[in-house]
Amino acid sequence: MSSFNSIQHNHLTEIQQRKIKIALIVFLIVGFVVVSLAQTPLNTNTMVIKGTSYFEPSCKDAIKLNDVPEIKDSVKRIQNIKYGIASTPLFPKYNVQTIDAAKLQNEPLPKLYHAILKAGYGPIYNMPYGELWLANTRSRENNYGLHLKHFSSTAQLDNVGYGGLSNNVAEVFFKQFYKKHTLSGDFVYNRNVNHYYGYDTSANQLTTDFTRQHYNFINPKLEIKSHYTDSTHINHNIKVGYYNFFNRQSEVENNIKLDATGNMFLNKERFSLGFLTDFYNHKQANDTLNNLIMSLAPSFLAGNKQWQLEIGLRGTIDNFKQKTRFYFHPKLSAQYNVYENIIIPYAGVEGGLIKNSFKNYAYENPFVNTTLRYTNTNNKYNFFLGLKGNLSSNTSYDTKVSYAQYDSMYFYAINYNTTNVIYNRFDLLYDNASLLTIGGQLKYQYKEKFNLIGKGNYYLWKTKNLTRAYHKPDFDITFSGIYNLQSKIILKADVFFVGQQWALTQVAENDANVLKPKILKGYVDANLEAEYRYSKMLSFFARFNNIANQRYFKYDKYPSMRFNFMLGVTFVPF
């Protein structure tokens, strides 16, 4: 019975579990339907759902906490609080990290020698040449030395007289260095000999002594120059000189000259003041002339790296032939750097009184007459406009256009009024004239290996009374180059292109002699020099002149030498 009862009890229990499962399934279905009805409206009045369950909910007893809450202060007090504003730039600057400078070992200074001797000889026109330099070596206190030179020729050119010449120079110089000044001076003696060879030998037979002329030049001078680095000091340069110039006929010219300049800075601008006193004494066979020239030239220079402006004025007193004249000449120049030293336009106007002296005439044209008529030239103004700059680190250029007006400009012409019937000496013609010049220069230099310079000028003269600007060429072009091949072979070249010029000559017309202008053709003169350096103490050179072998006339009736050359040696004795 007991086992039957237990079986029956288990059976009932299983029946109850099935009922519970069915009730749960019915409950889930009902819940699903309710949710669905909440999303989709239904007619609740037509549906009634009843569910029964044996589930009895129960709740556990709550457990109460007896801990009393506490408040703990976690803030720590900081003593000595300081308040401030830390500013930070909106665009912070880049801080360059410095590096230590590289340490270079002291390089030995190049050795200096006391003397250089050059000697050469040209066989075609019998041209001996010698030159000597003597000087002290490197010194912080002084520099002094001696220079001697001789060059001569016994040239006999075709159809003209004996054209021998001799040029001699003797010079002593020194420099004394002080803390803020440099004192320098030199004593120069020049003796130049030439002959008036511009005559027809078929019609005249003259001795070399008859055509011989010599010029002697004696010139001592002193100069003191300051080197103040403080802009508040007045930097100055004072030159004092004297020269005596005379020829074979005892035509003498004496000159005493004082030339002083000073400059100082006013803020960032420089103020300069120049003072000149120039006295000339001309002793000729027929007269004695004195000429005193004094001038004062203040100027003001302002600018920066991009622009520069200079404004000045020169006032001059000229007391000549017991007459006093006053001149005022402007000095104005400006330039502006348009773009990184590549394009720099500039413009200005200037002028000045030009002293025409016996020394200047004879050095420019050694065939001038012994007795001359002197008149100073007044350059009233000279307007110029140009453009310069650097095309690269090795190439620079400069172009310029100028227009100048001259009173009493001098021109050379053969003197046909003299008793010297061979007519081979030049006199001076003075006339008011204007000059338009268009010029340019281009320079290229690559380190110390290669150097090339090309420059040229075109001249347009216009005279007031003379029919032509005699012995003034209409253009000149020059090319000069130097090439250094590893400091062993040095090549130098010069090429000159000179345009035509006019000369005043005498011609026979209708049984009378009249003066008419004639054209002297232009010419090309090319020269080349090569030097081979065997060692630091010994080298050899060769010079080739007038390679084109042209017979040209720089002055009327005086032809040039044709092709000639010279071979020589350079030696450092000690």
Side-chain angles (χ1 to χ4, degrees):
M1 286 297 289
S2 59
S3 60
F4 176 78
N5 291 333
S6 61
I7 294 172
Q8 186 179 9
H9 175 74
N10 292 335
H11 179 72
L12 292 174
T13 304
E14 290 178 358
I15 294 174
Q16 291 176 354
Q17 291 178 353
R18 288 178 182 176
K19 291 181 178 180
I20 292 173
K21 290 180 179 181
I22 294 171
L24 290 173
I25 292 171
V26 172
F27 178 78
L28 291 174
I29 293 172
V30 172
F32 176 77
V33 172
V34 172
V35 173
S36 300
L37 293 175
Q39 294 180 358
T40 305
L42 297 174
N43 188 1
T44 57
N45 294 325
T46 63
M47 183 178 293
V48 177
I49 298 174
K50 291 182 181 181
T52 59
S53 176
Y54 296 97
F55 175 74
E56 294 180 0
S58 62
C59 294
K60 294 182 179 181
D61 295 336
I63 300 174
K64 297 181 180 181
L65 300 176
N66 296 323
D67 296 336
V68 179
E70 294 180 1
I71 299 175
K72 294 183 179 181
D73 189 3
S74 60
V75 179
K76 297 181 179 179
R77 296 182 180 180
I78 302 176
Q79 302 296 331
N80 300 325
I81 298 177
K82 295 182 179 180
Y83 297 94
I85 299 175
S87 61
T88 302
L90 182 60
F91 301 100
K93 296 182 179 179
Y94 175 72
N95 295 324
V96 179
Q97 184 178 1
T98 60
I99 60 175
D100 296 333
K103 296 182 180 180
L104 300 177
Q105 296 180 354
N106 294 329
E107 296 182 1
L109 295 174
K111 184 178 180 180
L112 299 180
Y113 298 92
H114 288 276
I116 299 178
L117 176 63
K118 298 185 71 173
Y121 179 73
I124 296 180
Y125 294 111
N126 186 26
M127 298 184 297
Y129 160 74
E131 198 161 5
L132 172 67
W133 290 269
L134 288 172
N136 67 326
T137 56
R138 188 177 291 107
S139 174
R140 295 179 179 271
E141 297 180 355
N142 50 49
N143 173 248
Y144 54 88
L146 170 70
H147 176 216
L148 302 175
K149 179 181 178 181
H150 170 80
F151 173 75
S152 62
S153 172
T154 58
Q156 180 64 64
L157 307 180
D158 296 337
N159 303 322
V160 292
Y162 174 72
L165 59 90
S166 175
N167 297 329
N168 304 276
V169 178
E171 179 182 8
V172 179
F173 58 88
F174 80 93
K175 280 187 178 182
Q176 185 69 36
F177 306 109
Y178 299 98
K179 187 177 181 180
K180 299 294 183 181
H181 291 80
T182 298
L183 177 65
S184 61
D186 56 5
F187 181 88
V188 179
Y189 173 71
N190 290 351
R191 179 179 173 84
N192 297 333
V193 180
N194 64 276
H195 290 77
Y196 297 102
Y197 65 91
Y199 62 92
D200 187 1
T201 54
S202 62
N204 300 280
Q205 297 294 328
L206 304 176
T207 63
T208 58
D209 185 69
F210 181 81
T211 60
R212 187 172 184 268
Q213 179 62 276
H214 65 247
Y215 299 102
N216 296 272
F217 177 67
I218 302 172
N219 179 213
K221 55 186 177 181
L222 288 173
E223 178 182 0
I224 184 168
K225 188 175 182 179
S226 65
H227 306 285
Y228 294 119
T229 57
D230 189 354
S231 60
T232 59
H233 286 79
I234 300 177
N235 272 308
H236 49 272
N237 187 9
I238 303 174
K239 301 177 184 178
V240 179
Y242 164 80
Y243 77 73
N244 175 264
F245 185 81
F246 61 95
N247 63 2
R248 189 182 182 188
Q249 288 74 24
S250 298
E251 306 278 353
V252 182
E253 182 175 84
N254 295 283
N255 170 252
I256 301 175
K257 186 176 182 179
L258 170 64
D259 189 359
T261 58
N263 61 80
M264 64 178 298
F265 283 88
L266 302 175
N267 295 326
K268 294 182 179 181
E269 289 72 34
R270 189 185 71 177
F271 175 76
S272 300
L273 182 64
F275 176 75
L276 173 68
T277 299
D278 208 358
F279 176 76
Y280 290 84
N281 172 255
H282 306 274
K283 292 182 179 180
Q284 301 185 103
N286 58 351
D287 198 3
T288 298
L289 304 173
N290 294 324
N291 186 193
L292 175 62
I293 300 174
M294 299 180 67
S295 66
L296 192 65
S299 63
F300 186 77
L301 178 65
N304 52 33
K305 293 182 179 180
Q306 191 171 16
W307 62 274
Q308 183 173 304
L309 175 65
E310 184 175 11
I311 302 175
L313 180 68
R314 178 180 292 274
T316 305
I317 300 175
D318 182 20
N319 185 288
F320 189 37
K321 296 181 181 179
Q322 298 179 351
K323 292 182 179 180
T324 303
R325 296 178 176 86
F326 298 90
Y327 301 95
F328 295 95
H329 300 96
K331 185 179 182 181
L332 175 64
S333 64
Q335 69 176 36
Y336 184 78
N337 190 349
V338 176
Y339 181 70
E340 295 182 352
N341 292 325
I342 299 177
I343 301 175
I344 305 177
Y346 62 93
V349 58
E350 57 187 6
L353 183 68
I354 302 173
K355 170 59 185 177
N356 295 322
S357 65
F358 183 31
K359 176 181 72 69
N360 294 343
Y361 288 141
Y363 278 173
E364 184 180 37
N365 184 356
F367 312 112
V368 294
N369 212 339
T370 57
T371 301
L372 299 174
R373 183 171 63 94
Y374 293 100
T375 299
N376 295 330
T377 300
N378 178 25
N379 180 201
K380 300 171 66 175
Y381 54 81
N382 181 18
F383 291 100
F384 59 88
L385 176 66
L387 186 67
K388 62 182 180 179
N390 299 320
L391 299 177
S392 67
S393 59
N394 302 322
T395 308
S396 62
Y397 71 95
D398 188 0
T399 60
K400 184 178 180 180
V401 178
S402 65
Y403 178 80
Q405 183 72 41
Y406 298 93
D407 286 347
S408 301
M409 187 65 188
Y410 67 90
F411 303 92
Y412 293 112
I414 294 290
N415 185 2
Y416 290 98
N417 297 322
T418 182
T419 57
N420 179 10
V421 294
I422 59 176
Y423 304 131
N424 62 345
R425 300 186 183 186
F426 288 89
D427 208 347
L428 298 168
L429 301 178
Y430 295 96
D431 194 11
N432 296 342
S434 63
L435 173 62
L436 174 66
T437 306
I438 303 174
Q441 175 176 304
L442 184 65
K443 180 179 180 181
Y444 175 82
Q445 182 173 359
Y446 178 70
K447 299 180 180 180
E448 297 182 356
K449 186 176 182 179
F450 184 69
N451 192 337
L452 179 64
I453 299 176
K455 58 182 179 180
N457 296 283
Y458 172 76
Y459 308 99
L460 181 60
W461 285 94
K462 185 178 180 181
T463 55
K464 182 178 180 180
N465 300 313
L466 298 176
T467 56
R468 296 289 189 274
Y470 299 116
H471 286 97
K472 301 291 185 182
D474 53 7
F475 73 87
D476 57 59
I477 302 174
T478 303
F479 292 100
S480 300
I482 300 176
Y483 179 70
N484 186 338
L485 182 59
Q486 298 180 353
S487 297
K488 294 294 291 184
I489 299 177
I490 312 298
L491 300 177
K492 300 179 182 179
D494 297 293
V495 182
F496 305 94
F497 298 88
V498 180
Q500 69 178 18
Q501 53 184 323
W502 292 87
L504 188 62
T505 187
Q506 181 175 269
V507 295
E509 285 187 359
N510 301 324
D511 297 331
N513 294 326
V514 295
L515 298 178
K516 283 190 173 183
K518 72 173 182 178
I519 293 180
L520 300 180
K521 295 181 180 180
Y523 58 88
V524 179
D525 192 347
N527 307 314
L528 179 65
E529 179 178 349
E531 180 183 0
Y532 171 68
R533 295 179 178 177
Y534 179 77
S535 67
K536 292 183 179 180
M537 312 293 289
L538 181 64
S539 64
F540 304 92
F541 67 87
R543 297 174 183 169
F544 304 93
N545 302 318
N546 196 359
I547 298 176
N549 195 31
Q550 287 198 5
R551 178 184 172 96
Y552 59 84
F553 292 81
K554 183 177 179 180
Y555 294 104
D556 188 21
K557 296 189 177 184
Y558 286 90
S560 66
M561 296 181 182
R562 291 184 180 271
F563 171 76
N564 63 89
F565 67 92
M566 176 180 290
L567 302 177
V569 60
T570 301
F571 177 62
V572 180
F574 58 91

